[in-house]
Amino acid sequence: LLKLCCLLFGGTSGNSFFCTEAPTLAHHKLRRDFPEPGDCVYAGRVDGQENGCDGATEGLFVTRPTETAGIFSVTAMFLFPQPRWKIAAWAWPHILRLAHLGEKCIKWLLNRPGIAELRELDAQHYIVLAVSCTKRGPPLLPANCANGDCVKDPTVIAIQAGEASGFSKWCRFEGLGKQKFNLAQYLRDFMACMGHKLATYSEMDGRPLVYYQCAVRRTDWERVREQFHE
């Protein structure tokens, strides 16, 4: 399919998929329920100019459910280097063949062996955490961090129950900017005090979460969950 694209539209990068073996910067974005509920959009872009690439460097896939359960409509769009093409008459039958090959490739991609297992892993890859109640104000952070970065409030509170864990001094957490509390930031600071570097996210599948929610990788959370609860 890539070689036929190069033959019809010019360029050489499609002969080996990537036009260079050197490390290449690429951008990828996945959005669910966009542009409409039930849709899934995947976009990718490669900085081809820096590496002398002359083939397709941008692509967009829009997957949309149909009226038949389990059947989806996929639209694939690619950006080629030439803004205008003058295609000879002999090429038109091959362009039709190219469209059929593209359809076969997409069908194989979405139904290839092991894809069901990958989708199941994807559905369980992240977990969304939430704080249910903060009636007494923002939660506390250990004030005796090794680097002192967690000390947000000069008023330190002594909590006797924390002495067994080595955290007897606590302070109020203050949010960033106008937002008084953000669970993603709080959890990062809290786990840093515990000696763990935890990646937290304020978005899930391209959708922003409310301030009292955050997403983390399930494996990362299972690794620190017991210590966090203690």
Side-chain angles (χ1 to χ4, degrees):
L1 176 63
L2 293 170
K3 290 181 179 180
L4 188 54
C5 287
C6 290
L7 175 65
L8 295 175
F9 305 126
T12 59
S13 62
N15 290 323
S16 59
F17 191 76
F18 289 110
C19 61
T20 175
E21 294 183 357
T24 303
L25 181 64
H27 305 267
H28 302 270
K29 180 69 73 173
L30 176 68
R31 296 286 187 185
R32 301 186 195 272
D33 289 335
F34 179 84
E36 296 181 3
D39 293 352
C40 185
V41 176
Y42 171 77
R45 178 171 62 87
V46 177
D47 288 343
Q49 294 182 352
E50 296 181 0
N51 300 301
C53 295
D54 56 0
T57 57
E58 297 184 36
L60 180 70
F61 285 83
V62 181
T63 305
R64 178 164 292 173
T66 65
E67 296 180 355
T68 304
I71 303 296
F72 295 82
S73 170
V74 180
T75 302
M77 290 165 280
F78 296 95
L79 178 64
F80 287 91
Q82 291 82 5
R84 294 182 180 179
W85 300 324
K86 293 182 179 179
I87 302 176
W90 65 265
W92 286 109
H94 297 280
I95 292 178
L96 181 61
R97 179 177 175 227
L98 175 66
H100 289 310
L101 281 175
E103 182 182 14
K104 289 183 178 180
C105 285
I106 292 175
K107 285 184 177 180
W108 176 87
L109 181 68
L110 298 181
N111 299 280
R112 65 189 185 275
I115 194 66
E117 290 79 5
L118 286 176
R119 292 194 178 108
E120 185 176 353
L121 288 173
D122 177 71
Q124 302 294 325
H125 190 68
Y126 290 97
I127 184 173
V128 177
L129 306 176
V131 173
S132 59
C133 181
T134 56
K135 290 183 178 179
R136 298 186 180 182
L140 302 176
L141 280 174
N144 51 346
C145 295
N147 55 10
D149 291 340
C150 294
V151 181
K152 304 291 185 180
D153 195 318
T155 304
V156 177
I157 302 171
I159 299 180
Q160 192 174 17
E163 293 180 355
S165 301
F167 299 99
S168 59
K169 304 294 184 180
W170 296 72
C171 62
R172 293 288 184 185
F173 169 79
E174 293 184 0
L176 300 176
K178 297 181 180 179
Q179 194 173 42
K180 293 297 183 181
F181 179 71
N182 178 274
L183 182 59
Q185 182 64 47
Y186 170 75
L187 199 58
R188 281 198 298 268
D189 291 350
F190 188 94
M191 297 314 303
C193 295
M194 302 287 113
H196 298 286
K197 186 177 180 181
L198 182 67
T200 60
Y201 307 94
S202 298
E203 292 186 358
M204 181 69 177
D205 291 333
R207 307 175 200 143
L209 301 174
V210 291
Y211 69 91
Y212 55 85
Q213 291 181 329
C214 74
V216 297
R217 284 190 291 269
R218 185 178 296 272
T219 54
D220 291 346
W221 177 243
E222 290 176 350
R223 174 172 50 87
V224 301
R225 177 177 55 187
E226 184 175 351
Q227 186 178 3
F228 175 81
H229 286 172
E230 290 177 359

